[in-house]
Amino acid sequence: MLTDPPSYPTKAPEPLRGEEHPLWSRQVEMERGMLHDGADRVRDRVVNATRQKTMTALAPVRGLLTDWLPDVAKDLREWVDSFDKVRGPKPISLAKLRYATKAVDPKTGAQTSEPTLADPFVMGMVALKVVLDGIATERHGITGLAMEIGRACEHEQQVRAWEKADPDLFHRIQRRLDKDGATEVHRKRVNINRFNHLLSTGELQVSWDKWGQEMHLRVGVALLDCIIRATGWFERMPDPNHVFKAGSKRGPKEVFVPKPGLLEHLAKELDHWELRSPAYKPTIIPPKPWTNTRDGGYWTPYVRGPRLIRFKAHQEAQKEWAADEYEAIDMPQEYEAINWLQDRPWRINKAVLAVMHLAYTHNMAIGGLPLIEPIPEPAQPADIATNKEALKKWKQQRAQAVKKNLRRLGACLRTDRLLGVAFEYQDFEEIFFPHMMDFRGRKYPIPVGLQPQGDDASRALLELANGKAVSSDETGGWIAVHLSACWGFDKASYEDRIEWVREREALWRRIAADPLNNLEWTATSGPDKVDKPWCSLAAIYDWVAFLDHGEGYISHLPISVDGTCNGIQHLSAMTRDEVAGAYVNLIPGDKPRDIYKYVAGLLQDELEAVERGGVNAEHATYWLDLCGRNLPRGLTKRQVMVLPYGGSKDAFFKYTREWLDEADPLPEELDWENPATLAMLTERTTRITWLSLKMWDVVRRVVSGGATVMEWLQETAKATTKGNQPIFWTTPSGFVVRHFYGKVLEKQVKVMLGGDTVQLRVGEQTADLDAASQLRGIAPNFVHSLDAAALTLCLLAAKERGLDGFTCVHDAYGTHAADMWALYHILREAFVLVHSENMLAAFRQACSTVVIGQLLAERHDLDFERAGELASEQLPQLPDMGSLNLADVLSSDYFFA
């Protein structure tokens, strides 16, 4: 049985930093190469090599670019020239892709041409680079690819216009960027910002009209069309991932896919350094502390990391305004917390790494690892030219193969990155993860791939660098609790979980001795499904080692506990909702309550009642029979989970459909033109809609207090949307949330692609506040800001009480087994502290401040006091409070478990 030791650990000393650290010079070298993905060199060397006929000097990875670029440039030039020979309307994108301005010399009458900014080799190279990068990362939607190409082309032309107008200043800035080791991303950002500044001040004599979203789309589509014609290796098709939804007017979006054979070639030939090296990696010394929002995390100018706070607003102007505003805000607790969090040392779990690498290289595809070998595409039928049915079936089969190979290739690239970084860092005694925050205050590691908030494989590859001795058998029980949770046995009491683990000692020892010949830990489906295979393996290794060594065993395993539907926990605490609070373990109990299973039980009662004589009894029977007359918690889990974060009826439909697609999958090959197929899909959609609406009603009844809070937040925020101003509120940790969603105007754009007319949608962003998005986002963002505040207060308490290790994934916290009882108290105290003040009243006051400002701006006859009275009248009154005793959280064993 777990018991609570009486003392806390001693406070840890401050780590060595910067140049004081013995690995400083090594860290500098690692940062020098961290972001060097060769993008700048690829652009310059491909263009220059093409013109100078030195393409054989380029590495094989650049072979595709060099092979295709001349033909793409030639096709683009011919496309532009073709419109000089015809009258009538011309493509809007033509003006941006003309490579020469033709004119007649007034003296001689001869035709002249002056090269302009749109060099066809450069535009073609930009488009090809985006396409290849997009395929490798599964970004193959036509609209997204085209927009990215258009933006890149505008940037290229801006840079060339600047160089032509003021070469001295341009090259002086580029030399400084070269000296600083600027990356492509940083160079691009600096050049765009400086170009815009010089234009606004009149220092740069260039006439430049910003292209806008629609022009980006049109330019990008024109270049994609050139690539289709010139390379012969690409085609467009309806998205094979499209899900038919009855009543929807939108058909499948257009995607840009490679023809058979190209993916395999790409997987073998694309340069590993360019495509598989992540932009940001861990550090080997404690990260640079954040002292402002612009400088922290990485130490040298070689790595231009993101700012401390990333913002939701898409508009660049909004981002800049927000950054300036945060520079003037004092948030000492937030800076202290995130700096302590990123100072926690980690190391690579070599035992897990060895098993994962062996399984991956042997193509075992276990624990979520992808297959290395591609899925064969179907052979083209011999009578394809005359047999329409055979052609249609072949296209369907090939679309499925393309979809699977795209997913497989992306998964392989991610696994390559993950294992590559793990091997690179495996010999370091300590590694660290610089962190950043979002606009709600949530904290995220900056490195991609391998990081403590990654997927199951990523987290299993990491362990706490500073091991701690397990002081007793009871404290060692936390390892068993963690193992049972990773396996999926987490709805029982702590004592039952520990007993469950002890009963299976023989299994754990077999797996630890030979994991690849005892694969029970890899089951990802069926009744014996393991929730987190790789984390389970890491826990098995640690548990068996503890059994062998006994008390005093030095454990490095991060033990993690999760909140019970943390969003509903916060909503219940806001209004002291004792009903929903009980479902999510805000009050003590003998074992954890499972709100997902409780909702599934209520839903089952409803279905059985309908089946006995209600309308649509056949739908109820279908779902009950499918679930074996016992609706599982998995059917309701995601829907319940997302409700506090703005989950809508559409979200309930989406997650119900995803559950059904896994429980009762559709055939891979569907004849969309067959009336029977459409009837079947319509019936399936109707059943999903019917159940999701039933579930919506049940969930809203269970968490009626939380639903009331979300509606109140929307009504309160609604009063602030008239003045086009953000809403600010301060969380209990001192973080200031800036809430602003910009309006996006959607346009329908017709373009030519692959010889056909295609209609695409593009969002034109504006500087105006989007009232609907502002209201949709307020409830989830308010809840997120409170769980972020709770984490900050946890971090500060953990630092004060001397914890060495700390891991967090928003509403899941962890540390050493030896310190779990300290964390047990810390996270409960932090939650109570967050809700010790009335956060709804604080939010109402924040909205009142915005409304008062609007009233004073609109009516000059008002003084501040009268404006405050009017603002109070416009805002809804606070919701009624329930009878939940918040202090009960302090003694609730399964609040986090």
Side-chain angles (χ1 to χ4, degrees), residues 444-472:
Y444 302 85
I446 296 174
V448 296
L450 181 68
Q451 50 128 306
Q453 290 186 17
D455 60 13
D456 172 53
S458 178
R459 281 185 261 180
L461 286 170
L462 294 170
E463 59 184 11
L464 303 169
N466 300 327
K468 282 200 170 184
V470 178
S471 59
S472 66

Side-chain angles (χ1 to χ4, degrees), residues 171-286:
H171 289 293
R172 187 162 66 248
I173 290 175
Q174 305 315 304
R175 285 194 297 271
R176 188 176 68 198
L177 291 171
D178 290 338
K179 183 179 179 181
D180 290 342
T183 65
E184 181 188 21
V185 173
H186 176 62
R187 184 187 299 270
K188 184 175 180 179
R189 183 168 62 240
V190 169
N191 284 337
I192 290 175
N193 290 340
R194 193 59 184 270
F195 179 84
N196 290 333
H197 173 74
L198 293 172
L199 279 183
S200 64
T201 59
E203 297 175 65
L204 188 62
Q205 300 301 312
V206 172
S207 177
W208 190 271
D209 294 325
K210 290 187 176 181
W211 289 15
Q213 303 278 58
E214 183 176 345
M215 184 59 76
H216 288 153
L217 178 69
R218 291 184 180 277
V219 168
V221 168
L223 287 165
L224 286 176
D225 205 20
C226 289
I227 291 173
I228 289 175
R229 292 191 299 265
T231 69
W233 274 110
F234 296 92
E235 61 183 325
R236 64 177 183 85
M237 66 167 57
D239 185 5
N241 289 314
H242 177 71
V243 176
F244 175 80
K245 187 173 181 181
S248 175
K249 296 181 180 179
R250 294 189 175 187
K253 71 177 182 180
E254 294 287 328
V255 294
F256 190 77
V257 297
K259 290 184 177 180
L262 180 59
L263 280 180
E264 289 73 16
H265 183 69
L266 279 174
K268 295 176 182 177
E269 300 298 330
L270 288 176
D271 183 85
H272 285 218
W273 180 245
E274 285 188 15
L275 290 179
R276 301 184 183 184
S277 179
Y280 301 111
K281 295 181 184 179
T283 62
I284 57 175
I285 67 174

